[in-house]
Amino acid sequence: MTDLETRVAAPPAPPPPAPLPRRAVPALVGYAAVRVLGLVVLAVWSAARGKSALTLLTARWDSLWYTRVAELGYGYRVRLPNGDVHSDLAFFPLLPWLERGLHAVTPLSYAHAGLVVSLVASLAAAAGIYAVAEHVYGRRVGVCAVLLWAVLPVAVVQSMAYSESLFTALAAWALYALLTGRWVSAGLLAVLAGLTRPVGGAVVAAVWTAAAISFVRERSAARTDGVRRTAHAPSGTAGASTRVPFLFTLRRLLGVLIAPLGAAGYVLWVGRRTGGGPFGYLDVQAGWRNGFDGGYAFARFVADKFTSFPSALAGAGLIAGVALLLWLYVSGVRRGQPVELLVYTGIVLALALCASSYFGSKPRLLLPAFPVLLPLAEALARLRTSRSALVTAALAIVSAVYGAFWLNGSGPP
């Protein structure tokens, strides 16, 4: 009797993962639900105070400057009684361009077009944050990261005719392009980010850093491979080595070269228009009392809070908030967060915390620094679904109430 070989069927191959847009649906649905809650609370709160929520979202503070640029172009200045000159050249052009384009093809006013751009951009930003977080830490962390960004205390800015949502969307997708090796896409997104806000340089720095690391790793791998081949190859073949595909190298170089064109182009244009040369944009910002002083003015602002008891509580809260941001950033370093994210986040944090700008604007300037939320997203993802949902719901209510209170009060500058 002959032994027959037992044939065991191979296990079926796992199904391919769903496309990224489909995987992001739960995060986007959750994000939209949180933002709708915030807008409903804002509408009710504003109506109770005799104000228009739509006006608060589209026709106050910086949104007025963006709308003016969209409608009339650059050239408007306001001279204040103290001698300061506020020029619309401080506002980068991509949002006004989009407002103008949407106004041209729809019945929307410039202000309402800005709101639509912001709302769409906020969803794109949520999708980009999900893509980055999922790529680094997994799907559950991706959903939690989006929800945490949605429930930030000043998250109502994400639904205003401001440029924060647009910039965060471009930055997040640029970072995702870097993480997945799409160099040209990363460079093009960096160009657009550089046309959106001054902090666009953080995206450029991330592109350059990722490219430098990629190049160094390739050289190191090539040297290691060369040593291995020399030791084991037959005579006459010791010089052979692997080579990086030419197209990959070309794409990486192209991404590096085009990345700064947006920010540099606008800054140089402003310098030529004002006659201030390469530093003309800094003169424009100085007219708004914006500058980089390493955090000295902010430290004095916080210290002044301790001159009386009620304000001392606010000072303690500011110190705790800054300490939390730094702790989260260090946590990202310890957890081995990709260098691209660390470079980008570090620059955004430094520009927000160490600038001498109006201190009430710092919370919204921190909105694009979404990678600092990833350690918190990991912690939230480790909870049971019911508990994480309860925590998120509670934070969403607090964020909605605070956003309505904030916009009906001092609001973002």
Side-chain angles (χ1 to χ4, degrees):
M1 189 170 181
T2 306
D3 293 335
L4 297 177
E5 181 181 358
T6 303
R7 297 184 179 274
V8 179
L20 179 58
R22 188 180 304 172
R23 300 198 305 271
V25 166
L28 295 180
V29 171
Y31 176 81
V34 172
R35 294 307 324 131
V36 167
L37 173 64
L39 293 176
V40 169
V41 173
L42 174 64
V44 173
W45 191 300
S46 302
R49 294 176 58 89
K51 295 183 179 181
S52 167
L54 186 60
T55 299
L56 292 175
L57 294 172
T58 63
R60 292 189 68 186
W61 305 295
D62 289 6
S63 58
L64 292 173
W65 288 87
Y66 284 120
T67 299
R68 181 182 288 274
V69 172
E71 183 176 4
L72 303 174
Y74 285 103
Y76 180 73
R77 300 194 310 166
V78 176
R79 183 175 295 276
L80 304 184
N82 65 356
D84 291 344
V85 177
H86 288 184
S87 168
D88 58 10
L89 293 171
F91 297 90
F92 278 53
L94 184 57
L95 178 56
W97 287 348
L98 294 175
E99 291 178 349
R100 182 182 301 173
L102 188 57
H103 168 76
V105 298
T106 67
L108 294 172
S109 67
Y110 290 102
H112 294 167
L115 179 61
V116 171
V117 169
S118 183
L119 292 175
V120 173
S122 69
L123 289 172
I129 292 170
Y130 173 83
V132 170
E134 183 210 45
H135 182 83
V136 179
Y137 296 112
R139 187 172 186 178
R140 189 173 174 87
V141 176
V143 174
C144 291
V146 171
L147 293 176
L148 287 176
W149 193 65
V151 301
L152 290 173
V154 295
V156 69
V157 175
Q158 298 165 15
S159 302
M160 296 180 65
Y162 270 45
S163 60
E164 273 76 12
S165 289
L166 178 60
F167 176 80
T168 304
L170 295 168
W173 283 108
L175 293 171
Y176 179 72
L178 289 177
L179 293 172
T180 54
R182 297 175 171 87
W183 294 102
V184 177
S185 296
L188 291 173
L189 289 165
V191 171
L192 296 176
L195 289 170
T196 306
R197 294 189 63 80
V199 74
V203 184
V204 177
V207 173
W208 287 355
T209 301
I213 292 174
S214 173
F215 177 76
V216 170
R217 285 175 178 170
E218 287 172 4
R219 295 295 298 271
S220 177
R223 286 195 296 268
T224 302
D225 183 69
V227 171
R228 187 182 300 113
R229 286 174 177 270
T230 301
H232 297 93
S235 176
T237 63
S241 64
T242 58
R243 293 182 181 273
V244 178
F246 173 74
L247 282 179
F248 177 86
T249 302
L250 182 63
R251 289 168 182 158
R252 182 175 59 194
L253 178 61
L254 183 59
V256 168
L257 292 177
I258 65 177
L261 295 183
Y266 181 69
V267 168
L268 292 176
W269 178 81
V270 170
R272 181 177 180 181
R273 183 181 177 102
T274 61
F279 303 104
Y281 182 76
L282 297 180
D283 296 333
V284 171
Q285 287 287 1
W288 287 80
R289 302 235 172 166
N290 292 335
F292 188 87
D293 62 1
Y296 174 73
F298 185 44
R300 287 191 58 185
F301 173 77
V302 174
D304 290 342
K305 294 292 183 182
F306 291 93
T307 56
S308 62
F309 172 71
S311 64
L313 297 178
L318 288 171
I319 293 175
V322 173
L324 175 62
L325 285 173
L326 296 179
W327 178 79
L328 289 173
Y329 184 76
V330 172
S331 295
V333 175
R334 290 177 176 175
R335 284 173 167 80
Q337 204 172 98
V339 177
E340 300 94 318
L341 302 187
L342 294 174
V343 169
Y344 165 79
T345 308
I347 294 176
V348 174
L349 292 177
L351 291 178
L353 297 176
C354 298
S356 59
S357 57
Y358 176 68
F359 304 111
S361 66
K362 291 190 180 297
R364 71 175 178 86
L365 297 180
L366 291 167
L367 281 176
F370 67 89
V372 298
L373 299 173
L374 295 182
L376 293 178
E378 286 186 275
L380 186 62
R382 286 194 292 267
L383 298 177
R384 285 186 300 207
T385 302
S386 58
R387 290 187 177 180
S388 62
L390 183 62
V391 170
T392 303
L395 292 175
I397 294 171
V398 172
S399 174
V401 172
Y402 180 78
F405 167 78
W406 191 40
L407 284 195
N408 279 276
S410 60

